[in-house]
Amino acid sequence: MSMIAVTGATGHLGRLVVENLLERGVEPGQVVALVRRPEKAGDLAALGVQVRHADYSRPETLGPALQGVEKLLLVSSSEVGKRAEQHRNVVEAARSAGVKLLAYTSILKADTSAMRLAAEHKASEEGIRASDIPFVFLRNGWYLENYTGNLAPALEHGALVGSAEEGRVSAATRADFAAAAATVLTGTGHENRVYELGGDESFTLAELAGIIAEASGRPVEYRDLPEEAYVGVLAGLGLPEPFARVLADSDRGIARGELFTDSGDLRSLIGRSPTTPRAAVTAAVRA
Ligand SMILES: NC(=O)c1ccc[n+]([C@@H]2O[C@H](COP(=O)([O-])OP(=O)(O)OC[C@H]3O[C@@H](n4cnc5c(N)ncnc54)[C@H](OP(=O)(O)O)[C@@H]3O)[C@@H](O)[C@H]2O)c1
């Protein structure tokens, strides 16, 4: 029986991929949810999928976890700074286990982007290519949830703050990125392809402020700040400074066009238009 495994299955994206595979009719017993904390995976086990312990930082867990796996989705780790090494561990284990297809959630334009967040993705893509395992790079753009998940400060202050100038973002929902991953894991002909994934309707942060204002019926304007000043605002909101710096640096990447794509790859893979920014913001405001 050919098995499909998903890492980070207790995370937001991994969980959506597992659910999407089951919705497509993949037998639960054929799906392997790889998790670093099996105690968090009770609901996944209740779906009938196999739950296996796999910690990116503990190579001894990875070999047994990948036994019999034909296709693997490596959801990039959330531990920024440790990711290149963690992903190397997974790729090495996948090679030893004879995995036939390794899909990896990367970042838009990983090979050319100057964003700090892109460096570990670039290194990971290079490591995967060097492994000779047939691969698929799912270069995900920004999640719409990065914005819709926390609209309260913008609504409260009537201002969306950032450092992205007039740069355009091709964001999409996690559910749409998950559907693209499930297409690749269940389909054929994706070997050694690189997909630049983003929503069809890109926006500037000023346009996003307009969408939030319209959906909420409250005034919201975009206020562009120099990078250091934006770091200060984020730190003032309680974010740890290193994380504030990564976010501000990402906005500078947006200003350079590094989170924009007009490839249409997401639409092609999911076979429909991705959820629009307006629909996602409207749903978040109602919620
Ligand atoms: N495109 C974007 O806008 C965007 C935004 C944020 C992040 N990302 C990237 O996309 C990935 C998936 O996004 P998400 O929203 O699903 O993030 P998430 O909810 O934080 O999920 C990350 C997953 O990685 C797992 N993980 C972390 N360290 C691990 C380790 N040492 N061994 C095994 N698993 C480990 C976590 O396990 P636990 O469940 O045990 O914590 C979690 O399941 C993130 O990890 C990050 O690389 C992209």
Side-chain angles (χ1 to χ4, degrees):
M1 185 166 62
S2 71
M3 286 192 285
I4 301 175
V6 178
T7 72
T10 44
H12 293 93
L13 185 71
R15 193 176 288 278
L16 289 169
V17 176
V18 168
E19 288 167 3
N20 197 298
L21 290 170
L22 300 181
E23 281 161 21
R24 285 166 194 252
V26 179
E27 287 298 321
Q30 255 182 286
V31 177
V32 182
L34 298 174
V35 304
R36 82 171 140 173
R37 287 181 287 209
E39 67 276 13
K40 259 183 83 181
D43 59 325
L44 291 168
L47 295 173
V49 306
Q50 298 184 47
V51 174
R52 297 186 187 170
H53 182 212
D55 187 323
Y56 302 148
S57 291
R58 294 177 55 199
E60 72 278 12
T61 65
L62 299 172
L66 292 174
Q67 278 288 315
V69 168
E70 184 188 352
K71 296 178 182 178
L72 171 66
L73 175 66
L74 170 53
V75 171
S76 53
S77 170
S78 47
E79 300 187 308
V80 174
K82 296 187 189 167
R83 300 193 288 185
E85 187 188 343
Q86 291 180 327
H87 298 163
R88 223 176 7 253
N89 291 340
V90 178
V91 174
E92 181 53 36
R95 206 181 51 77
S96 300
V99 166
K100 302 278 186 301
L101 185 77
L102 198 170
Y104 170 68
T105 63
S106 186
I107 192 168
L108 277 176
K109 307 179 184 180
D111 50 346
T112 56
S113 174
M115 276 170 50
R116 282 199 213 175
L117 279 178
E120 289 175 306
H121 289 296
K122 181 169 189 265
S124 298
E125 286 192 1
E126 287 169 358
I128 292 167
R129 280 184 192 274
S131 75
D132 285 333
I133 304 171
F135 66 84
V136 187
F137 294 152
L138 297 159
R139 289 185 173 167
N140 290 346
W142 243 204
Y143 299 150
L144 274 168
E145 288 88 344
N146 294 350
Y147 299 110
T148 60
N150 189 17
L151 290 176
L155 291 172
E156 191 182 322
H157 301 291
L160 181 69
V161 184
S163 195
E165 298 180 53
E166 293 297 306
R168 303 195 75 80
V169 189
S170 306
T173 60
R174 282 194 187 91
D176 285 344
F177 289 122
T183 298
V184 160
L185 293 168
T186 53
T188 54
H190 300 289
E191 287 80 5
N192 303 336
R193 301 286 302 269
V194 178
Y195 295 112
E196 301 280 353
L197 301 173
D200 284 345
E201 295 184 20
S202 66
F203 51 83
T204 65
L205 294 192
E207 289 167 359
L208 179 64
I211 293 171
I212 298 168
E214 203 181 300
S216 65
R218 289 156 72 169
V220 181
E221 287 194 339
Y222 176 56
R223 206 170 293 153
D224 197 74
L225 296 176
E227 186 173 350
E228 275 307 308
Y230 183 39
V231 170
V233 168
L234 292 172
L237 287 171
L239 263 65
E241 195 188 312
F243 186 47
R245 289 203 173 279
V246 165
L247 289 185
D249 175 77
S250 298
D251 262 24
R252 301 309 301 147
I254 291 173
R256 295 188 297 268
E258 290 167 359
L259 287 177
F260 168 82
T261 182
D262 57 4
S263 70
D265 285 351
L266 181 58
R267 180 173 10 98
S268 301
L269 284 178
I270 67 179
R272 58 173 169 77
S273 297
T275 298
T276 63
R278 193 171 303 275
V281 167
T282 302
V285 166
R286 289 208 181 119

